Amino acid sequence: MISFLDKAVLQFDRALQTLVPHAAKASRPSPANLLEEGTLDLSERKHSSGLMRINHTGEVCAQALYAGQATTAKLAAVREEMEHAADEEIDHLVWCEQRLYELGSRPSLFNPFFYGASFLIGAGAGLISDKLSLGFVAATEDQVCIHLQKHMATLPAQDEKSKAVLAQMHTDEAKHKAMALAAGGYEFPKPIMAIMTQVSKVMTTTTYRI
């Protein structure tokens, strides 16, 4: 049996890996590694950086969300699913961070705030029920997939490296959504999804430049 203190130490370590640059390690190489760097002018590089910063922050939130849910999940099987998904999301986190630095940029300064808020949301959902917690994962991943599709469509044509990263992320996120629903996740009604969309817009506007 893992004690509360053990859980706290593990979650603190995950938070450090998520928020400290270059601390996390991916289990898979970045899809961008196989491609040549495209020629981007200043405005294109700035736009790509903004989009990848948004996606990096999204992965920071995902780490915190899964960590919070795993901490309060009632069923061991659900907790294991959350932890497995979080491990795959680490790849996305590292890939986005790597791409940001390749573009001459950096992660958002607001990431610690978003991590803390997302952890509390995840823990709260887990305390209510595993069904709600899994439903929140499915709804969140649905929002992420929509964002990724939009970002792939608006990236500069020459930025094939960023597109490759986002394409693999989209595949993985869709899988996580399907996993959450198959495990019994609650399907959120459209009004709730609309609220989540508005909250997501606020986050993306905030992190695009800062």
Side-chain angles (χ1 to χ4, degrees):
M1 177 72 71
I2 299 178
S3 69
F4 175 80
L5 181 59
D6 290 333
K7 287 182 179 180
V9 171
L10 289 171
Q11 295 308 334
F12 182 68
D13 178 66
R14 183 175 290 277
L16 288 178
Q17 287 189 53
T18 302
L19 297 172
V20 176
H22 311 298
K25 304 298 180 186
S27 62
R28 295 173 290 173
S30 171
N33 292 349
L34 300 175
L35 301 170
E36 295 293 329
E37 186 70 67
T39 302
L40 303 174
D41 62 29
L42 185 60
S43 63
E44 290 170 334
R45 186 173 293 274
K46 187 175 181 180
H47 182 57
S48 287
S49 297
L51 295 181
M52 294 309 292
R53 186 178 299 108
I54 290 169
N55 289 303
H56 180 266
T57 294
E59 296 307 320
V60 168
C61 292
Q63 284 298 311
L65 183 68
Y66 283 125
Q69 289 168 318
T71 300
T72 57
K74 296 170 179 60
L75 297 177
V78 173
R79 183 165 55 251
E80 290 171 4
E81 289 282 9
M82 297 295 183
E83 291 171 348
H84 175 68
D87 288 340
E88 286 196 342
E89 298 283 358
I90 287 178
D91 288 349
H92 303 171
L93 180 84
V94 174
W95 297 346
C96 288
E97 180 185 278
Q98 175 186 324
R99 188 66 193 130
L100 271 172
Y101 286 117
E102 288 173 351
L103 290 165
S105 190
R106 52 152 182 77
S108 173
L109 299 176
F110 291 105
N111 281 347
F113 167 77
F114 285 123
Y115 187 96
S118 297
F119 183 89
L120 291 176
I121 291 171
L127 283 172
I128 295 172
S129 74
D130 286 341
K131 183 178 180 68
L132 178 64
S133 185
L134 288 165
F136 199 82
V137 168
T140 300
E141 298 293 22
D142 183 70
Q143 294 292 308
V144 171
C145 285
I146 292 172
H147 274 293
L148 290 171
Q149 289 173 330
K150 290 180 178 178
H151 289 184
M152 284 188 283
T154 61
L155 277 169
Q158 311 92 299
D159 193 1
E160 294 293 340
K161 291 172 77 73
S162 294
K163 287 181 184 178
V165 170
L166 299 190
Q168 184 59 53
M169 286 172 59
H170 187 277
T171 298
D172 294 342
E173 306 294 9
K175 181 177 67 175
H176 295 163
K177 175 187 173 182
M179 173 275 294
L181 292 176
Y186 173 71
E187 291 196 52
F188 284 18
K190 289 184 178 180
I192 299 298
M193 295 297 289
I195 293 172
M196 292 180 68
T197 298
Q198 293 305 313
V199 172
S200 179
K201 286 181 179 179
V202 172
M203 187 196 79
T204 56
T205 301
T206 303
T207 57
Y208 182 81
R209 299 183 183 281
I210 304 175

